[in-house]
Amino acid sequence: MSLINITLIVYVIASVSYIVREIWGSKATRWTSLGLLILAFCLNLAMVAKRSIEAGHPPFSNLYESLIFYACCTAFVYIIFEFVYNFRVVGALASVLTMLILLYATLQDDTIRPIMPALKSNWMLVHVVTYMLGYAAFGISFVTSIIFLVVKPFARKGKENKENEEGKEILPRNFDKLSYKIVAFGFPFLTLGMVTGAVWAKKAWGDYWSWDPKETWSLITWLAYLVYLHTPLVLPKMNINKSKASVILSFWLLFAFGIVNFTFVGLNYLPSAADSEHIYGSK
């Protein structure tokens, strides 16, 4: 069995373990589910390292390589927030999201080919890593937004946090606030990715910005999350109460993550992408 298939299986088991943890809620199930996810992450990281050694360059030169690294970053970012906040059901959906990313990678051509000259730059490493960390954070905020929208109709007013045998735990009904914190974590990485991409483009193609389709949609993605981060300051002035505002913002995150996926993957399948300097990402 290949390493990618083993990793997929462990992600599935981790997701099931998180569901069991949600049902039983014991400390033992918490560490079991987290341990399984960390194991899946380590296997995913081993895939990235193995590919890098085999290819002789950072594994970001095509869609297959980018997807396995994206899955790795998604698991990594979730694990960070798992330690910061006592998540529960989020882990199940985060594991499923990571598994789906990796599963999609198995549908791509995994042939190792020589990279184009423009990619032979140290800027590629910084640019792709920062972008993927930003995308990973947005993926986790997508998950928390779904949970918030599902739970909100059944939620009751109460304290922000509760205490149990595992310590402080953020409640699903407060995931709108958590989503904001996660996006605030990921947005600087996205911004840094755009800046380093511009510098890299200058060195590779002679211009900081050429309105390439990929560049344009990257800017749209950046603006979508910029709007999200600033909207809480605007909605109160429009006499929209906090409850409705949180719903609007959560739906906006679902929409924004759709833009992320289109920018990252969907754009490669459009005819206009044929003129893109970033078309290598779909090969």
Side-chain angles (χ1 to χ4, degrees):
M1 186 179 292
S2 65
L3 181 57
I4 192 169
N5 288 332
I6 294 173
T7 307
L8 280 168
I9 291 172
V10 178
Y11 273 126
V12 171
I13 296 173
S15 179
V16 173
S17 179
Y18 271 101
I19 294 173
V20 172
R21 169 187 169 182
E22 177 69 14
I23 295 172
W24 293 99
S26 68
K27 188 173 183 179
T29 55
R30 178 200 174 187
W31 290 111
T32 299
S33 57
L34 179 58
L36 285 168
L37 184 56
I38 291 175
L39 174 60
F41 163 72
C42 290
L43 291 171
N44 202 158
L45 186 62
M47 288 175 54
V48 173
K50 180 174 179 290
R51 181 72 177 196
S52 182
I53 294 171
E54 292 175 346
H57 57 74
F60 314 134
S61 64
N62 57 38
L63 188 55
Y64 171 80
E65 295 174 353
S66 298
L67 285 168
I68 62 173
F69 185 69
Y70 180 31
C72 190
C73 287
T74 301
F76 175 70
V77 170
Y78 172 76
I79 290 169
I80 289 176
F81 279 93
E82 168 80 21
F83 280 104
V84 176
Y85 301 101
N86 185 5
F87 284 151
R88 288 173 60 157
V89 71
V90 180
L93 295 183
S95 298
V96 169
L97 176 62
T98 309
M99 181 269 294
L100 290 175
I101 295 169
L102 209 54
L103 185 63
Y104 185 61
T106 64
L107 303 177
Q108 309 305 314
D109 183 6
D110 63 353
T111 304
I112 296 176
R113 297 186 179 90
I115 60 175
M116 60 191 297
L119 297 181
K120 296 178 180 179
S121 169
N122 291 330
W123 285 106
M124 179 175 73
L125 182 63
V126 180
H127 171 67
V128 176
V129 169
T130 51
Y131 246 112
M132 291 303 176
L133 287 173
Y135 281 2
F138 299 153
I140 302 303
S141 69
F142 171 76
V143 168
T144 53
S145 295
I146 290 176
I147 296 174
F148 171 77
L149 290 171
V150 171
V151 170
K152 182 174 174 55
F154 310 100
R156 298 178 180 177
K157 293 183 179 181
K159 295 181 179 179
E160 290 292 308
N161 299 87
K162 67 180 181 182
E163 297 287 334
N164 60 15
E165 68 273 12
E166 300 178 28
K168 183 176 286 188
E169 174 191 331
I170 188 165
L171 298 176
R173 65 169 175 262
N174 298 319
F175 277 7
D176 58 325
K177 300 179 182 66
L178 179 59
S179 296
Y180 192 90
K181 293 178 181 178
I182 296 173
V183 172
F185 169 84
F187 189 75
F189 287 106
L190 185 70
T191 304
L192 184 58
M194 287 189 64
V195 172
T196 55
V199 175
W200 181 19
K202 176 64 175 178
K203 290 182 175 294
W205 297 300
D207 292 308
Y208 289 105
W209 196 270
S210 59
W211 294 105
D212 176 280
K214 202 82 168 184
E215 293 175 353
T216 302
W217 277 95
S218 295
L219 177 61
I220 293 172
T221 302
W222 185 82
L223 289 173
Y225 284 97
L226 182 68
V227 168
Y228 169 80
L229 290 173
H230 287 80
T231 298
L233 303 176
V234 177
L235 291 180
K237 297 179 181 180
M238 300 171 63
N239 296 322
I240 298 177
N241 62 46
K242 291 183 178 180
S243 180
K244 290 183 179 179
S246 61
V247 172
I248 292 172
L249 289 170
S250 295
F251 274 113
W252 182 260
L253 280 184
L254 304 188
F255 170 72
F257 190 60
I259 297 177
V260 168
N261 289 317
F262 178 76
T263 304
F264 183 31
V265 178
L267 183 62
N268 295 323
Y269 297 100
L270 295 182
S272 60
D275 299 325
S276 173
E277 295 288 354
H278 300 81
I279 190 62
Y280 61 82
S282 65
K283 295 180 180 179

mmCIF file of all heavy atoms in Angstrom, residues 223-265:
data_model
loop_
_atom_site.group_PDB
_atom_site.id
_atom_site.type_symbol
_atom_site.label_atom_id
_atom_site.label_comp_id
_atom_site.label_asym_id
_atom_site.label_seq_id
_atom_site.Cartn_x
_atom_site.Cartn_y
_atom_site.Cartn_z
ATOM 1 N N LEU A 223 -8.919 40.424 -1.303
ATOM 2 C CA LEU A 223 -9.945 41.438 -1.034
ATOM 3 C C LEU A 223 -11.148 40.833 -0.318
ATOM 4 O O LEU A 223 -11.754 41.480 0.547
ATOM 5 C CB LEU A 223 -10.391 42.085 -2.348
ATOM 6 C CG LEU A 223 -9.376 43.010 -3.026
ATOM 7 C CD1 LEU A 223 -9.878 43.436 -4.403
ATOM 8 C CD2 LEU A 223 -9.086 44.228 -2.163
ATOM 9 N N ALA A 224 -11.507 39.588 -0.661
ATOM 10 C CA ALA A 224 -12.652 38.938 -0.024
ATOM 11 C C ALA A 224 -12.435 38.801 1.479
ATOM 12 O O ALA A 224 -13.349 39.058 2.282
ATOM 13 C CB ALA A 224 -12.893 37.560 -0.650
ATOM 14 N N TYR A 225 -11.233 38.417 1.878
ATOM 15 C CA TYR A 225 -10.959 38.259 3.303
ATOM 16 C C TYR A 225 -10.686 39.603 3.974
ATOM 17 O O TYR A 225 -10.929 39.760 5.181
ATOM 18 C CB TYR A 225 -9.804 37.282 3.511
ATOM 19 C CG TYR A 225 -10.243 35.851 3.314
ATOM 20 C CD1 TYR A 225 -10.053 35.203 2.106
ATOM 21 C CD2 TYR A 225 -10.910 35.174 4.328
ATOM 22 C CE1 TYR A 225 -10.495 33.901 1.909
ATOM 23 C CE2 TYR A 225 -11.354 33.870 4.145
ATOM 24 C CZ TYR A 225 -11.147 33.237 2.936
ATOM 25 O OH TYR A 225 -11.595 31.957 2.754
ATOM 26 N N LEU A 226 -10.199 40.565 3.214
ATOM 27 C CA LEU A 226 -10.047 41.914 3.759
ATOM 28 C C LEU A 226 -11.423 42.485 4.096
ATOM 29 O O LEU A 226 -11.613 43.099 5.155
ATOM 30 C CB LEU A 226 -9.335 42.812 2.749
ATOM 31 C CG LEU A 226 -9.068 44.246 3.201
ATOM 32 C CD1 LEU A 226 -8.035 44.266 4.320
ATOM 33 C CD2 LEU A 226 -8.579 45.096 2.020
ATOM 34 N N VAL A 227 -12.389 42.282 3.208
ATOM 35 C CA VAL A 227 -13.770 42.722 3.453
ATOM 36 C C VAL A 227 -14.317 42.047 4.703
ATOM 37 O O VAL A 227 -14.954 42.692 5.551
ATOM 38 C CB VAL A 227 -14.664 42.408 2.233
ATOM 39 C CG1 VAL A 227 -16.144 42.585 2.591
ATOM 40 C CG2 VAL A 227 -14.298 43.303 1.060
ATOM 41 N N TYR A 228 -14.076 40.742 4.838
ATOM 42 C CA TYR A 228 -14.563 40.005 6.004
ATOM 43 C C TYR A 228 -14.010 40.597 7.301
ATOM 44 O O TYR A 228 -14.755 40.789 8.276
ATOM 45 C CB TYR A 228 -14.160 38.532 5.897
ATOM 46 C CG TYR A 228 -14.386 37.760 7.172
ATOM 47 C CD1 TYR A 228 -15.647 37.293 7.519
ATOM 48 C CD2 TYR A 228 -13.328 37.512 8.048
ATOM 49 C CE1 TYR A 228 -15.853 36.600 8.702
ATOM 50 C CE2 TYR A 228 -13.523 36.814 9.232
ATOM 51 C CZ TYR A 228 -14.793 36.362 9.555
ATOM 52 O OH TYR A 228 -14.992 35.678 10.737
ATOM 53 N N LEU A 229 -12.717 40.888 7.317
ATOM 54 C CA LEU A 229 -12.083 41.388 8.539
ATOM 55 C C LEU A 229 -12.585 42.776 8.928
ATOM 56 O O LEU A 229 -12.582 43.126 10.112
ATOM 57 C CB LEU A 229 -10.565 41.417 8.364
ATOM 58 C CG LEU A 229 -9.879 40.036 8.305
ATOM 59 C CD1 LEU A 229 -8.408 40.189 7.956
ATOM 60 C CD2 LEU A 229 -10.028 39.295 9.633
ATOM 61 N N HIS A 230 -13.027 43.555 7.943
ATOM 62 C CA HIS A 230 -13.473 44.926 8.233
ATOM 63 C C HIS A 230 -14.993 45.060 8.365
ATOM 64 O O HIS A 230 -15.474 46.066 8.900
ATOM 65 C CB HIS A 230 -12.979 45.887 7.145
ATOM 66 C CG HIS A 230 -11.515 46.173 7.224
ATOM 67 N ND1 HIS A 230 -10.561 45.311 6.734
ATOM 68 C CD2 HIS A 230 -10.836 47.226 7.758
ATOM 69 C CE1 HIS A 230 -9.361 45.819 6.948
ATOM 70 N NE2 HIS A 230 -9.489 46.967 7.568
ATOM 71 N N THR A 231 -15.726 44.058 7.895
ATOM 72 C CA THR A 231 -17.191 44.129 7.934
ATOM 73 C C THR A 231 -17.761 44.293 9.346
ATOM 74 O O THR A 231 -18.742 45.030 9.524
ATOM 75 C CB THR A 231 -17.809 42.889 7.259
ATOM 76 O OG1 THR A 231 -17.399 42.873 5.879
ATOM 77 C CG2 THR A 231 -19.328 42.918 7.322
ATOM 78 N N PRO A 232 -17.214 43.641 10.385
ATOM 79 C CA PRO A 232 -17.765 43.843 11.738
ATOM 80 C C PRO A 232 -17.772 45.291 12.185
ATOM 81 O O PRO A 232 -18.544 45.665 13.073
ATOM 82 C CB PRO A 232 -16.819 42.998 12.618
ATOM 83 C CG PRO A 232 -16.324 41.935 11.708
ATOM 84 C CD PRO A 232 -16.158 42.605 10.378
ATOM 85 N N LEU A 233 -16.914 46.115 11.585
ATOM 86 C CA LEU A 233 -16.897 47.533 11.937
ATOM 87 C C LEU A 233 -18.002 48.309 11.232
ATOM 88 O O LEU A 233 -18.384 49.390 11.666
ATOM 89 C CB LEU A 233 -15.537 48.140 11.559
ATOM 90 C CG LEU A 233 -14.293 47.485 12.180
ATOM 91 C CD1 LEU A 233 -13.034 48.133 11.633
ATOM 92 C CD2 LEU A 233 -14.343 47.589 13.695
ATOM 93 N N VAL A 234 -18.501 47.737 10.141
ATOM 94 C CA VAL A 234 -19.493 48.431 9.315
ATOM 95 C C VAL A 234 -20.926 48.053 9.674
ATOM 96 O O VAL A 234 -21.816 48.910 9.717
ATOM 97 C CB VAL A 234 -19.235 48.134 7.822
ATOM 98 C CG1 VAL A 234 -20.302 48.783 6.949
ATOM 99 C CG2 VAL A 234 -17.845 48.599 7.429
ATOM 100 N N LEU A 235 -21.153 46.752 9.920
ATOM 101 C CA LEU A 235 -22.515 46.267 10.140
ATOM 102 C C LEU A 235 -23.252 46.962 11.289
ATOM 103 O O LEU A 235 -24.444 47.268 11.150
ATOM 104 C CB LEU A 235 -22.496 44.756 10.365
ATOM 105 C CG LEU A 235 -22.122 43.901 9.138
ATOM 106 C CD1 LEU A 235 -22.139 42.413 9.491
ATOM 107 C CD2 LEU A 235 -23.072 44.177 7.973
ATOM 108 N N PRO A 236 -22.601 47.246 12.432
ATOM 109 C CA PRO A 236 -23.325 47.949 13.508
ATOM 110 C C PRO A 236 -23.835 49.320 13.074
ATOM 111 O O PRO A 236 -24.886 49.775 13.532
ATOM 112 C CB PRO A 236 -22.274 48.079 14.619
ATOM 113 C CG PRO A 236 -21.332 46.947 14.361
ATOM 114 C CD PRO A 236 -21.261 46.835 12.870
ATOM 115 N N LYS A 237 -23.099 49.979 12.183
ATOM 116 C CA LYS A 237 -23.517 51.297 11.707
ATOM 117 C C LYS A 237 -24.714 51.189 10.766
ATOM 118 O O LYS A 237 -25.368 52.194 10.464
ATOM 119 C CB LYS A 237 -22.356 51.992 11.004
ATOM 120 C CG LYS A 237 -21.174 52.276 11.934
ATOM 121 C CD LYS A 237 -20.035 52.951 11.198
ATOM 122 C CE LYS A 237 -18.863 53.206 12.148
ATOM 123 N NZ LYS A 237 -17.723 53.864 11.461
ATOM 124 N N MET A 238 -24.993 49.980 10.293
ATOM 125 C CA MET A 238 -26.138 49.743 9.409
ATOM 126 C C MET A 238 -27.335 49.218 10.200
ATOM 127 O O MET A 238 -28.291 48.706 9.624
ATOM 128 C CB MET A 238 -25.746 48.745 8.316
ATOM 129 C CG MET A 238 -24.592 49.217 7.441
ATOM 130 S SD MET A 238 -23.986 47.921 6.319
ATOM 131 C CE MET A 238 -25.449 47.647 5.321
ATOM 132 N N ASN A 239 -27.231 49.318 11.537
ATOM 133 C CA ASN A 239 -28.293 48.859 12.439
ATOM 134 C C ASN A 239 -28.588 47.360 12.293
ATOM 135 O O ASN A 239 -29.737 46.920 12.400
ATOM 136 C CB ASN A 239 -29.578 49.667 12.225
ATOM 137 C CG ASN A 239 -29.405 51.129 12.574
ATOM 138 O OD1 ASN A 239 -28.723 51.465 13.543
ATOM 139 N ND2 ASN A 239 -30.005 52.011 11.787
ATOM 140 N N ILE A 240 -27.563 46.594 12.009
ATOM 141 C CA ILE A 240 -27.684 45.133 11.945
ATOM 142 C C ILE A 240 -27.192 44.573 13.267
ATOM 143 O O ILE A 240 -26.050 44.828 13.673
ATOM 144 C CB ILE A 240 -26.860 44.561 10.781
ATOM 145 C CG1 ILE A 240 -27.393 45.104 9.450
ATOM 146 C CG2 ILE A 240 -26.884 43.042 10.785
ATOM 147 C CD1 ILE A 240 -26.601 44.651 8.241
ATOM 148 N N ASN A 241 -28.042 43.841 13.975
ATOM 149 C CA ASN A 241 -27.658 43.342 15.286
ATOM 150 C C ASN A 241 -26.576 42.274 15.189
ATOM 151 O O ASN A 241 -26.305 41.723 14.120
ATOM 152 C CB ASN A 241 -28.872 42.815 16.061
ATOM 153 C CG ASN A 241 -29.528 41.643 15.351
ATOM 154 O OD1 ASN A 241 -28.887 40.704 14.891
ATOM 155 N ND2 ASN A 241 -30.857 41.690 15.268
ATOM 156 N N LYS A 242 -25.968 41.964 16.313
ATOM 157 C CA LYS A 242 -24.823 41.056 16.339
ATOM 158 C C LYS A 242 -25.184 39.659 15.854
ATOM 159 O O LYS A 242 -24.386 38.989 15.209
ATOM 160 C CB LYS A 242 -24.251 40.981 17.757
ATOM 161 C CG LYS A 242 -23.573 42.262 18.214
ATOM 162 C CD LYS A 242 -22.966 42.091 19.591
ATOM 163 C CE LYS A 242 -22.240 43.364 20.036
ATOM 164 N NZ LYS A 242 -21.653 43.204 21.390
ATOM 165 N N SER A 243 -26.390 39.220 16.183
ATOM 166 C CA SER A 243 -26.808 37.874 15.794
ATOM 167 C C SER A 243 -26.871 37.728 14.272
ATOM 168 O O SER A 243 -26.342 36.775 13.702
ATOM 169 C CB SER A 243 -28.173 37.551 16.404
ATOM 170 O OG SER A 243 -28.595 36.255 16.030
ATOM 171 N N LYS A 244 -27.492 38.688 13.630
ATOM 172 C CA LYS A 244 -27.583 38.645 12.168
ATOM 173 C C LYS A 244 -26.217 38.874 11.523
ATOM 174 O O LYS A 244 -25.895 38.282 10.495
ATOM 175 C CB LYS A 244 -28.580 39.696 11.677
ATOM 176 C CG LYS A 244 -30.026 39.387 12.006
ATOM 177 C CD LYS A 244 -30.961 40.439 11.434
ATOM 178 C CE LYS A 244 -32.416 40.105 11.755
ATOM 179 N NZ LYS A 244 -33.339 41.149 11.222
ATOM 180 N N ALA A 245 -25.427 39.745 12.146
ATOM 181 C CA ALA A 245 -24.097 40.039 11.605
ATOM 182 C C ALA A 245 -23.227 38.787 11.597
ATOM 183 O O ALA A 245 -22.498 38.531 10.632
ATOM 184 C CB ALA A 245 -23.435 41.136 12.430
ATOM 185 N N SER A 246 -23.312 38.000 12.673
ATOM 186 C CA SER A 246 -22.501 36.782 12.751
ATOM 187 C C SER A 246 -22.897 35.781 11.682
ATOM 188 O O SER A 246 -22.050 35.075 11.113
ATOM 189 C CB SER A 246 -22.626 36.146 14.139
ATOM 190 O OG SER A 246 -23.965 35.774 14.410
ATOM 191 N N VAL A 247 -24.186 35.724 11.365
ATOM 192 C CA VAL A 247 -24.669 34.830 10.305
ATOM 193 C C VAL A 247 -24.174 35.307 8.946
ATOM 194 O O VAL A 247 -23.705 34.512 8.122
ATOM 195 C CB VAL A 247 -26.203 34.740 10.321
ATOM 196 C CG1 VAL A 247 -26.704 33.971 9.103
ATOM 197 C CG2 VAL A 247 -26.694 34.074 11.600
ATOM 198 N N ILE A 248 -24.271 36.609 8.708
ATOM 199 C CA ILE A 248 -23.811 37.186 7.441
ATOM 200 C C ILE A 248 -22.323 36.909 7.243
ATOM 201 O O ILE A 248 -21.877 36.498 6.164
ATOM 202 C CB ILE A 248 -24.082 38.694 7.405
ATOM 203 C CG1 ILE A 248 -25.585 38.956 7.345
ATOM 204 C CG2 ILE A 248 -23.380 39.353 6.214
ATOM 205 C CD1 ILE A 248 -25.959 40.421 7.507
ATOM 206 N N LEU A 249 -21.540 37.116 8.298
ATOM 207 C CA LEU A 249 -20.097 36.910 8.211
ATOM 208 C C LEU A 249 -19.750 35.436 7.973
ATOM 209 O O LEU A 249 -18.812 35.124 7.236
ATOM 210 C CB LEU A 249 -19.424 37.408 9.491
ATOM 211 C CG LEU A 249 -19.392 38.924 9.664
ATOM 212 C CD1 LEU A 249 -18.926 39.296 11.061
ATOM 213 C CD2 LEU A 249 -18.486 39.564 8.620
ATOM 214 N N SER A 250 -20.521 34.551 8.592
ATOM 215 C CA SER A 250 -20.266 33.117 8.408
ATOM 216 C C SER A 250 -20.557 32.686 6.975
ATOM 217 O O SER A 250 -19.797 31.923 6.373
ATOM 218 C CB SER A 250 -21.110 32.299 9.391
ATOM 219 O OG SER A 250 -20.722 32.559 10.727
ATOM 220 N N PHE A 251 -21.650 33.186 6.421
ATOM 221 C CA PHE A 251 -21.955 32.886 5.017
ATOM 222 C C PHE A 251 -20.898 33.495 4.086
ATOM 223 O O PHE A 251 -20.556 32.905 3.056
ATOM 224 C CB PHE A 251 -23.353 33.398 4.642
ATOM 225 C CG PHE A 251 -24.454 32.433 4.960
ATOM 226 C CD1 PHE A 251 -25.396 32.729 5.944
ATOM 227 C CD2 PHE A 251 -24.555 31.222 4.287
ATOM 228 C CE1 PHE A 251 -26.420 31.829 6.242
ATOM 229 C CE2 PHE A 251 -25.573 30.324 4.574
ATOM 230 C CZ PHE A 251 -26.504 30.622 5.559
ATOM 231 N N TRP A 252 -20.404 34.663 4.477
ATOM 232 C CA TRP A 252 -19.362 35.275 3.661
ATOM 233 C C TRP A 252 -18.103 34.405 3.631
ATOM 234 O O TRP A 252 -17.432 34.297 2.594
ATOM 235 C CB TRP A 252 -19.022 36.665 4.188
ATOM 236 C CG TRP A 252 -17.993 37.370 3.349
ATOM 237 C CD1 TRP A 252 -16.659 37.485 3.598
ATOM 238 C CD2 TRP A 252 -18.212 38.030 2.092
ATOM 239 N NE1 TRP A 252 -16.029 38.165 2.585
ATOM 240 C CE2 TRP A 252 -16.965 38.514 1.641
ATOM 241 C CE3 TRP A 252 -19.347 38.256 1.297
ATOM 242 C CZ2 TRP A 252 -16.805 39.205 0.446
ATOM 243 C CZ3 TRP A 252 -19.198 38.931 0.102
ATOM 244 C CH2 TRP A 252 -17.945 39.408 -0.316
ATOM 245 N N LEU A 253 -17.776 33.777 4.760
ATOM 246 C CA LEU A 253 -16.612 32.897 4.802
ATOM 247 C C LEU A 253 -16.791 31.677 3.904
ATOM 248 O O LEU A 253 -15.827 31.203 3.297
ATOM 249 C CB LEU A 253 -16.332 32.440 6.237
ATOM 250 C CG LEU A 253 -15.589 33.437 7.126
ATOM 251 C CD1 LEU A 253 -15.299 32.813 8.492
ATOM 252 C CD2 LEU A 253 -14.292 33.904 6.470
ATOM 253 N N LEU A 254 -18.018 31.156 3.818
ATOM 254 C CA LEU A 254 -18.282 30.050 2.908
ATOM 255 C C LEU A 254 -18.037 30.491 1.464
ATOM 256 O O LEU A 254 -17.427 29.767 0.668
ATOM 257 C CB LEU A 254 -19.719 29.547 3.064
ATOM 258 C CG LEU A 254 -20.163 29.100 4.455
ATOM 259 C CD1 LEU A 254 -21.541 28.449 4.377
ATOM 260 C CD2 LEU A 254 -19.166 28.131 5.069
ATOM 261 N N PHE A 255 -18.526 31.694 1.146
ATOM 262 C CA PHE A 255 -18.336 32.250 -0.194
ATOM 263 C C PHE A 255 -16.855 32.502 -0.466
ATOM 264 O O PHE A 255 -16.337 32.175 -1.553
ATOM 265 C CB PHE A 255 -19.143 33.548 -0.306
ATOM 266 C CG PHE A 255 -18.860 34.339 -1.543
ATOM 267 C CD1 PHE A 255 -19.301 33.903 -2.782
ATOM 268 C CD2 PHE A 255 -18.159 35.537 -1.461
ATOM 269 C CE1 PHE A 255 -19.036 34.634 -3.936
ATOM 270 C CE2 PHE A 255 -17.902 36.283 -2.605
ATOM 271 C CZ PHE A 255 -18.337 35.820 -3.844
ATOM 272 N N ALA A 256 -16.155 33.075 0.505
ATOM 273 C CA ALA A 256 -14.741 33.409 0.332
ATOM 274 C C ALA A 256 -13.888 32.156 0.126
ATOM 275 O O ALA A 256 -12.948 32.160 -0.678
ATOM 276 C CB ALA A 256 -14.239 34.195 1.540
ATOM 277 N N PHE A 257 -14.235 31.075 0.834
ATOM 278 C CA PHE A 257 -13.454 29.849 0.668
ATOM 279 C C PHE A 257 -13.714 29.240 -0.713
ATOM 280 O O PHE A 257 -12.847 28.567 -1.266
ATOM 281 C CB PHE A 257 -13.794 28.841 1.769
ATOM 282 C CG PHE A 257 -12.851 27.661 1.794
ATOM 283 C CD1 PHE A 257 -11.491 27.840 2.000
ATOM 284 C CD2 PHE A 257 -13.334 26.371 1.621
ATOM 285 C CE1 PHE A 257 -10.622 26.761 2.022
ATOM 286 C CE2 PHE A 257 -12.467 25.279 1.638
ATOM 287 C CZ PHE A 257 -11.111 25.481 1.840
ATOM 288 N N GLY A 258 -14.895 29.482 -1.253
ATOM 289 C CA GLY A 258 -15.168 29.073 -2.629
ATOM 290 C C GLY A 258 -14.235 29.800 -3.594
ATOM 291 O O GLY A 258 -13.750 29.209 -4.565
ATOM 292 N N ILE A 259 -13.969 31.083 -3.321
ATOM 293 C CA ILE A 259 -13.038 31.854 -4.142
ATOM 294 C C ILE A 259 -11.632 31.280 -4.018
ATOM 295 O O ILE A 259 -10.894 31.181 -5.010
ATOM 296 C CB ILE A 259 -13.056 33.340 -3.729
ATOM 297 C CG1 ILE A 259 -14.429 33.947 -3.977
ATOM 298 C CG2 ILE A 259 -11.993 34.126 -4.494
ATOM 299 C CD1 ILE A 259 -14.553 35.391 -3.522
ATOM 300 N N VAL A 260 -11.257 30.883 -2.795
ATOM 301 C CA VAL A 260 -9.941 30.257 -2.583
ATOM 302 C C VAL A 260 -9.787 29.029 -3.467
ATOM 303 O O VAL A 260 -8.777 28.853 -4.162
ATOM 304 C CB VAL A 260 -9.748 29.868 -1.095
ATOM 305 C CG1 VAL A 260 -8.526 28.959 -0.932
ATOM 306 C CG2 VAL A 260 -9.589 31.106 -0.233
ATOM 307 N N ASN A 261 -10.798 28.168 -3.457
ATOM 308 C CA ASN A 261 -10.718 26.938 -4.232
ATOM 309 C C ASN A 261 -10.694 27.212 -5.731
ATOM 310 O O ASN A 261 -10.001 26.514 -6.482
ATOM 311 C CB ASN A 261 -11.901 26.018 -3.884
ATOM 312 C CG ASN A 261 -11.770 25.425 -2.505
ATOM 313 O OD1 ASN A 261 -10.706 24.991 -2.102
ATOM 314 N ND2 ASN A 261 -12.855 25.422 -1.744
ATOM 315 N N PHE A 262 -11.454 28.213 -6.155
ATOM 316 C CA PHE A 262 -11.448 28.556 -7.577
ATOM 317 C C PHE A 262 -10.073 29.099 -7.981
ATOM 318 O O PHE A 262 -9.539 28.745 -9.040
ATOM 319 C CB PHE A 262 -12.523 29.595 -7.879
ATOM 320 C CG PHE A 262 -12.528 30.029 -9.321
ATOM 321 C CD1 PHE A 262 -13.049 29.200 -10.304
ATOM 322 C CD2 PHE A 262 -11.993 31.255 -9.686
ATOM 323 C CE1 PHE A 262 -13.042 29.596 -11.643
ATOM 324 C CE2 PHE A 262 -11.980 31.656 -11.017
ATOM 325 C CZ PHE A 262 -12.503 30.820 -11.998
ATOM 326 N N THR A 263 -9.490 29.951 -7.139
ATOM 327 C CA THR A 263 -8.178 30.517 -7.430
ATOM 328 C C THR A 263 -7.099 29.444 -7.467
ATOM 329 O O THR A 263 -6.225 29.443 -8.338
ATOM 330 C CB THR A 263 -7.809 31.584 -6.382
ATOM 331 O OG1 THR A 263 -8.832 32.587 -6.345
ATOM 332 C CG2 THR A 263 -6.473 32.234 -6.700
ATOM 333 N N PHE A 264 -7.179 28.527 -6.524
ATOM 334 C CA PHE A 264 -6.151 27.503 -6.377
ATOM 335 C C PHE A 264 -6.274 26.410 -7.432
ATOM 336 O O PHE A 264 -5.284 25.989 -8.042
ATOM 337 C CB PHE A 264 -6.237 26.904 -4.969
ATOM 338 C CG PHE A 264 -5.179 25.870 -4.672
ATOM 339 C CD1 PHE A 264 -3.925 25.925 -5.256
ATOM 340 C CD2 PHE A 264 -5.444 24.836 -3.789
ATOM 341 C CE1 PHE A 264 -2.957 24.969 -4.970
ATOM 342 C CE2 PHE A 264 -4.488 23.880 -3.505
ATOM 343 C CZ PHE A 264 -3.238 23.948 -4.092
ATOM 344 N N VAL A 265 -7.516 25.946 -7.683
ATOM 345 C CA VAL A 265 -7.715 24.788 -8.561
ATOM 346 C C VAL A 265 -8.595 25.105 -9.768
ATOM 347 O O VAL A 265 -8.230 24.825 -10.909
ATOM 348 C CB VAL A 265 -8.336 23.618 -7.769
ATOM 349 C CG1 VAL A 265 -8.599 22.436 -8.692
ATOM 350 C CG2 VAL A 265 -7.427 23.189 -6.624
#
